[in-house]
Amino acid sequence: MEKGHLAEINACAIDEIDEEDVLRFDHNGRTYVIIRMMGDDIYCMDGQCSHEQVHLCDGLVMDHVIECPKHNGRFDVRTGKALAAPVYEHLKTYPVQVREGRVFVTLEN
Amino acid sequence: MGLLSVITIGGGRDYSLTGLENDRATKAGLASAEWYKTPIDRKLLKHLMKRSDGPALRNVGLWLALLALTGAGAIALWGTWWALPVLLVYGVLYGTGSDSRWHECGHGTAFRSRWMNSVVYEISSFMIMRNSVVWRWSHTRHHTDTIIVGRDPEIVAMRPPQMIIIALNVFGIVALPQSLFAIARNAVGHLSADERRYVPEPERARAVWTARAHVAVYLAAIAWAVLAWSWLPLMLIGLPRAYGIWLLVLMALPQHAGLDEDVLDHRLNSRTVVMNPVLRFIYMNMNYHIEHHMFPMVPFYALPRLHEAVKHDLPAPSPSLYAAWRDILPALFRQLADPGYFIAQELPEGAGQPALAPHRNQDGERALGGN
């Protein structure tokens, strides 16, 4: 598929992520995180903190917020919005669907 | 060693954030670098990171109750010698206890409820005379570049150590005027060159207004003291930052003092000290300092469990505060004559390889300037 086109990626099984947890997902040289709240309430966003590029996969997920493990920078997992210092720059979120126990993320290919 | 070397201010490396050491650290790959972490089971770490309001409500609630009790006692007994021991306890709770609450709530880990972290952070920042905005960013940098010279704004025991100043600061004699000056400087709209290095532009106006709020409360306390023609208001607000800080110096200086600089491994530049439950209450378990730096998302009440999970990979903790100071003091005095000296932390057998830094050679010697 040509670069720039959207593609639905079969990222992982939903069972690979505990509730209120996060999984790192790499695709085409970029890092994302897939965040699961409760049940099938699931989100995907850029995988590194916009403050110092720390991987968010080691962060804390709580109340639809993911906190960076290094300095507690917080992002709303639904919108990617940076919520509190030391983060200002929002992260990008990506559409996610759960079908037959698999998590599909729509990314730019 | 002569008296001059004991009172030397500077004379060693440049610890400012605007000097040559800053460039040197950046070029050496020490700025915002990857740090060593003890491997730990992911599920266990997630479990340890879980937040709860209960432990901090009990801790901070007891702290505030003791402050209120001793504060009321000091007012009731003022003018008698009985006020003295009560004020000594009040001072420690205020001057030392506020630092721990400032720290834990600044990380946002004390409470699960974010507003509780924010409220206690602002109150304790005022008590410890720190601009809550400036110091949030200062501490962020301290965690990014722990004891990296030219990068970390919170290095207390520099090389050579300023022993007279450290000694005077047991009672805040230098630190209190410095803190007041910094607050006043911020209040008139000025951030120092170092502060401008780590406080981002959008936060600076808030830093100025925060300082103004602090100044307003201090002016009110001074006015109260003048109107009442009594030192009591200042003994309750402001001065505990001086007379009650001795325990903080005793507990906090061992966090990093005498240990290595410019390494990417908290096991080498930080120290864990075994403390009794009373000290751990006042200090909110920050004696588990290697563990805290390695996993800063773990709240204070889970640090003892984190310690058990990672201790096989860490240097043996100092068995007591006394033992820690028995190591530190000779090292600091030796650094007066030999600023390159440091206490090399001994890692247990089977521990992960120490992460020195790109600028160290195989023997651990500095290959790129510095000491």
Side-chain angles (χ1 to χ4, degrees), chain B residues 94 98 102 118-136 179-188 206-222 234 237-238 241:
Chain B
Y94 186 117
S98 61
W102 163 82
S118 299
V119 168
V120 177
Y121 179 70
E122 292 298 334
I123 293 170
S124 51
S125 295
F126 168 78
M127 292 167 76
I128 197 71
M129 286 188 186
R130 290 176 188 152
N131 185 319
S132 56
V133 178
V134 170
W135 276 80
R136 187 185 292 281
S179 299
L180 281 177
F181 177 74
I183 292 278
R185 179 168 41 71
N186 291 163
V188 296
R206 209 160 63 84
V208 170
W209 282 104
T210 299
R212 287 173 183 169
H214 286 204
V215 168
V217 179
Y218 285 122
L219 288 177
I222 291 168
L234 299 179
I237 300 169
R241 169 68 176 82

Side-chain angles (χ1 to χ4, degrees), chain B residues 238-259:
Chain B
L239 286 179
R241 169 68 176 82
Y243 73 81
I245 206 167
W246 58 272
L247 185 57
L248 175 61
V249 175
L250 285 183
M251 291 195 293
L253 208 83
Q255 291 175 350
H256 305 287
L259 299 174

Side-chain angles (χ1 to χ4, degrees), chain B residues 2-15:
Chain B
L3 181 63
L4 271 180
S5 63
V6 179
I7 60 171
T8 291
I9 299 174
R13 302 179 70 186
D14 178 1
Y15 285 80

